[in-house]
Amino acid sequence: MTLPRFGVWAPVHGSRAAHHDPDEPDDASWARNRALVLEAEALGFDAVLVAQHTVNPYDDARDQLETWTATAALAALTRRIELIAAIKPGLFHPVVLAKMALQIEHISEGRFALNLVNAWNATEFEAAGLPFPEHDARYAYGAEWIGLVSRLMRGERVSHEGRHFRVSGLQLRPADPWRARPRIYLGGESEPARALVAAEGDVWFINGQPLDAVRGLIADAAARPRGDLPPLRFGLSAFVIARETDEEAEAEHARLLALADGDAGLRAASRTRVDPAVVMIRTMAQARAVGTNGGTAAGLVGSYATVAARLAAFHAAGVVLFMLQFQPFEAEMRRFAERVRPLLGARTLPSSAASGVV
């Protein structure tokens, strides 16, 4: 079995666990994100996920990093780390987005990937006068959208007449000289999401949750037909709290939970913007946790040995990439790189294809 890969969530809207932590700057600036990603690369992390929001999802008076311009800049500044930019199909025409993706692929010399997100924040769209269809309709739109983007990124000459898009004999150049196309990550756990992952995705991002639940999700996805695509791979989002002892880690978890309680107003306001049909929101409601996208619900809270053992169990179940959150981010990212990752025998992977060719 290959060694696990580890990535980090860029702090695109500031803190991931609590917005009033005296040890963590609630800083979403380009300067902070640039420094953090460069340090993550130097520490041996394999990937960074740059989530996409046009406005801060908790409070529109707070800062929010723009994903695609930031990722293009990071592509020029970094040398090895995989750069995963999230994209909501309703914000970009597929031809425009495919062209942008190929350009960042060239800037990064084959280290770019996109993460298709079919959106949960209705207010983000409605405030901009953009349509926000119901859940399954968004996935139908996203399926047509990503099908076009995938073909265009492959350098095909595309003619398409669909419900949402019409393309006539269009081909994008320069093509990708490093691989067939950039990698496609997909998230979501509803039935339309799972069908789309099987049809178009290379890696399925699973939100943080217990091991048995993750095993069930992997089994379901792995059983679905893939056509000519290679076997689906799996990533897991998780918030890590690692210390010398389990007791110290649990105490830190309790501290962050208490701080997160101070964000109740922000989170309540955020929930008013959420589409209740989004499975992620229902999954996260099942456990009290810190962090986004499941956070500590994955159980990566404990001593260095405990966290390493739990990561090994997820890896044995089929997770190849762990997309991690920390707080305070920089200090805990260093701690993980120095104290946990060596216990798994993980090493820095070559930049050649960000762990695989599509």
Side-chain angles (χ1 to χ4, degrees):
M1 179 180 290
T2 58
L3 292 170
R5 302 176 66 228
F6 296 100
V8 296
W9 287 71
V12 296
H13 49 62
S15 302
R16 284 279 166 187
H19 293 279
H20 300 92
D21 186 348
D23 296 330
E24 168 86 329
D26 200 16
D27 182 358
S29 68
W30 159 245
R32 186 201 182 186
N33 277 270
R34 176 188 60 202
L36 190 150
V37 172
L38 288 173
E39 182 173 10
E41 181 176 59
L43 288 169
F45 283 90
D46 304 289
V48 58
L49 173 59
V50 188
Q52 185 182 53
H53 303 281
T54 53
V55 295
N56 189 295
Y58 300 106
D59 178 0
D60 62 9
R62 294 169 179 259
D63 291 346
Q64 175 66 49
L65 190 78
E66 199 289 306
T67 300
W68 283 70
T69 51
T71 303
L74 289 169
L77 292 169
T78 55
R79 294 292 177 266
R80 182 193 57 79
I81 199 167
E82 183 182 22
L83 303 164
I84 308 169
I87 180 65
K88 297 171 182 174
L91 298 178
F92 286 92
H93 190 281
V95 172
V96 176
L97 194 283
K99 182 63 177 176
M100 292 168 63
L102 282 172
Q103 186 63 66
I104 301 176
E105 174 80 342
H106 276 257
I107 296 169
S108 68
E109 298 183 336
R111 294 180 289 117
F112 177 70
L114 62 87
N115 171 209
L116 182 70
V117 181
N118 277 292
W120 55 264
N121 188 344
T123 303
E124 178 180 27
F125 284 75
E126 292 165 355
L130 296 170
F132 190 77
E134 58 84 26
H135 180 273
D136 289 5
R138 292 200 305 278
Y139 272 93
Y141 181 95
E144 185 177 346
W145 188 96
I146 193 63
L148 277 171
V149 169
S150 180
R151 293 177 64 194
L152 289 164
M153 291 194 304
R154 287 184 182 277
E156 296 180 22
R157 186 174 297 280
V158 176
S159 292
H160 171 86
E161 187 84 39
R163 179 177 179 182
H164 303 288
F165 304 106
R166 180 177 179 273
V167 177
S168 302
L170 182 66
Q171 184 180 54
L172 299 181
R173 286 291 185 269
D176 189 337
W178 292 275
R179 49 189 173 172
R181 61 154 170 76
R183 182 173 296 132
I184 297 172
Y185 289 80
L186 281 94
E189 294 168 21
S190 66
E191 179 53 36
R194 298 181 195 207
L196 183 55
V197 166
E200 297 287 354
D202 301 308
V203 184
W204 187 20
F205 263 146
I206 299 171
N207 291 307
Q209 49 201 289
L211 177 60
D212 285 347
V214 171
R215 284 194 181 111
L217 292 169
I218 288 175
D220 176 89
R224 294 174 182 251
R226 295 272 291 162
D228 295 331
L229 292 175
L232 187 64
R233 288 171 289 171
F234 303 94
L236 181 72
S237 175
F239 193 103
V240 175
I241 302 174
R243 293 290 186 275
E244 290 285 351
T245 67
D246 290 339
E247 293 75 18
E248 289 177 279
E250 291 294 348
E252 175 61 10
H253 192 198
R255 183 187 80 88
L256 289 174
L257 283 168
L259 285 169
D261 286 343
D263 297 330
L266 286 175
R267 297 187 187 282
S270 178
R271 284 193 294 272
T272 66
R273 308 179 186 112
V274 170
D275 178 356
V278 175
V279 173
M280 175 185 73
I281 304 304
R282 299 199 299 270
T283 299
M284 290 175 61
Q286 295 173 12
R288 188 166 180 247
V290 297
T292 65
N293 297 80
T296 52
L300 301 186
V301 178
S303 70
Y304 304 130
T306 294
V307 171
R310 290 174 182 168
L311 286 164
F314 278 115
H315 184 52
V319 176
V320 299
L321 173 64
F322 296 91
M323 194 57 63
L324 304 179
Q325 302 173 10
F326 306 96
Q327 188 160 329
F329 209 116
E330 288 86 343
E332 294 302 313
M333 178 176 71
R334 293 174 203 127
R335 185 195 298 269
F336 180 89
E338 294 167 2
R339 303 301 300 273
V340 177
R341 187 166 182 170
L343 299 179
L344 292 150
R347 56 177 172 77
T348 299
L349 298 184
S351 62
S352 57
S355 92
V357 176
V358 174

